[in-house]
Amino acid sequence: MATNTTETKSTRGRKPAASKEITKNDSQIAELEAKNAEMQKQIEALMQMVQNNNSTDNSVTDILTEDDGVTVISLTPHKLNLCTEWGGGNVYTFNKMYETQEIDWADLKAIVRTNKEMVQKGRFYIADETAVKKLRLKSAYTHMLSPEVLKGLLEQHPDKVIEMYNLAPEGQKEAIIEMVIEKQSQGVNIDANILQHLSKVSGKDLLNISND
């Protein structure tokens, strides 16, 4: 009697196509996670740089006398006047951003009392750890961007720029926008991702600024 046989192809040793796709996806996910981890390290390093710059070593002692000079740096892109009294007193004029002056400790205390809003907004920077501590500004300076960080901010990776912008006090956010506008008007190339984000949060069209 003839016996009917059915030929069956063996699947032994053959990997399903779905398995290859899963392996590929796992590899892509691992790569993205590695990139995210590296980016987080860079952001943390930049934040540490902010902290280090805010811990200035201009003072080697916790003692400040009334006529000791304290380094103050303007972080305002335009003219800045710091007065010891409303509408008068001693006036310190800064004509441009990053201009530095030595201000007597006695006058600086009066300036901080008179210009509390500008202090909190980061319109100027006190580059003296002892003075910051005695003026009880350590909390305000936690996320204050130092002049060094601000100067090189727009050269950083877009994610870093956005991260630092979001952490900055209101006055420094305004200064960053003004920095971008100035550089754009000078024809300096700035990453489009930075411009797009800052345009959204500031309400200014930074992508279409004329350099005429």
Side-chain angles (χ1 to χ4, degrees), residues 15 44 89-90 101 209:
K15 293 184 179 180
E44 289 174 357
N90 294 332
Q101 293 190 35
I209 293 177

Side-chain angles (χ1 to χ4, degrees), residues 113-178:
R113 285 195 302 269
T114 305
N115 304 273
K116 290 182 179 179
E117 185 175 357
M118 284 200 290
V119 173
Q120 295 296 327
K121 285 187 174 184
R123 291 296 189 183
F124 60 93
Y125 187 85
I126 301 170
D128 187 298
E129 185 179 8
T130 297
V132 169
K133 180 179 178 180
K134 288 184 174 296
L135 291 167
R136 300 184 179 181
L137 295 175
K138 291 192 72 174
S139 177
Y141 270 56
T142 300
H143 296 301
M144 190 85 70
L145 304 185
S146 70
E148 290 79 8
V149 171
L150 274 176
K151 285 178 181 178
L153 183 63
L154 298 178
E155 299 172 4
Q156 301 296 324
H157 187 281
D159 287 348
K160 292 184 187 179
V161 176
I162 293 168
E163 178 80 9
M164 300 307 292
Y165 176 87
N166 290 336
L167 290 172
E170 193 62 33
Q172 291 194 326
K173 287 180 179 178
E174 295 172 6
I176 291 170
I177 298 301
E178 292 187 48

Side-chain angles (χ1 to χ4, degrees), residues 10-21:
S10 174
T11 59
R12 184 178 300 173
R14 183 185 299 171
K15 293 184 179 180
S19 177
K20 292 182 179 180
E21 186 65 29

Side-chain angles (χ1 to χ4, degrees), residues 28-182:
Q28 291 175 338
I29 291 172
E31 184 178 353
L32 287 173
E33 288 177 346
K35 288 182 178 180
N36 287 338
E38 180 62 25
M39 183 62 62
Q40 185 61 36
K41 287 181 181 179
Q42 292 177 358
I43 291 173
E44 289 174 357
L46 191 57
M47 284 299 300
Q48 186 60 52
M49 185 169 68
V50 173
Q51 295 294 335
N52 291 341
N53 284 328
N54 287 344
S55 298
T56 56
D57 58 358
N58 290 356
S59 299
V60 295
T61 176
D62 282 343
I63 300 174
L64 283 172
T65 61
E66 296 297 273
D67 58 351
D68 276 344
V70 178
T71 301
V72 176
I73 306 168
S74 171
L75 297 183
T76 302
H78 45 76
K79 187 175 181 179
L80 173 68
N81 288 322
L82 297 179
C83 306
T84 56
E85 300 175 13
W86 283 109
N90 294 332
V91 180
Y92 295 84
T93 299
F94 297 78
N95 293 302
K96 59 183 179 179
M97 193 168 184
Y98 306 127
E99 182 177 336
T100 300
Q101 293 190 35
E102 294 289 317
I103 298 180
D104 289 347
W105 172 233
D107 280 354
L108 182 59
K109 289 188 291 183
I111 286 170
V112 170
R113 285 195 302 269
T114 305
N115 304 273
K116 290 182 179 179
E117 185 175 357
M118 284 200 290
V119 173
Q120 295 296 327
K121 285 187 174 184
R123 291 296 189 183
F124 60 93
Y125 187 85
I126 301 170
D128 187 298
E129 185 179 8
T130 297
V132 169
K133 180 179 178 180
K134 288 184 174 296
L135 291 167
R136 300 184 179 181
L137 295 175
K138 291 192 72 174
S139 177
Y141 270 56
T142 300
H143 296 301
M144 190 85 70
L145 304 185
S146 70
E148 290 79 8
V149 171
L150 274 176
K151 285 178 181 178
L153 183 63
L154 298 178
E155 299 172 4
Q156 301 296 324
H157 187 281
D159 287 348
K160 292 184 187 179
V161 176
I162 293 168
E163 178 80 9
M164 300 307 292
Y165 176 87
N166 290 336
L167 290 172
E170 193 62 33
Q172 291 194 326
K173 287 180 179 178
E174 295 172 6
I176 291 170
I177 298 301
E178 292 187 48
M179 284 167 50
V180 170
I181 293 174
E182 181 180 1

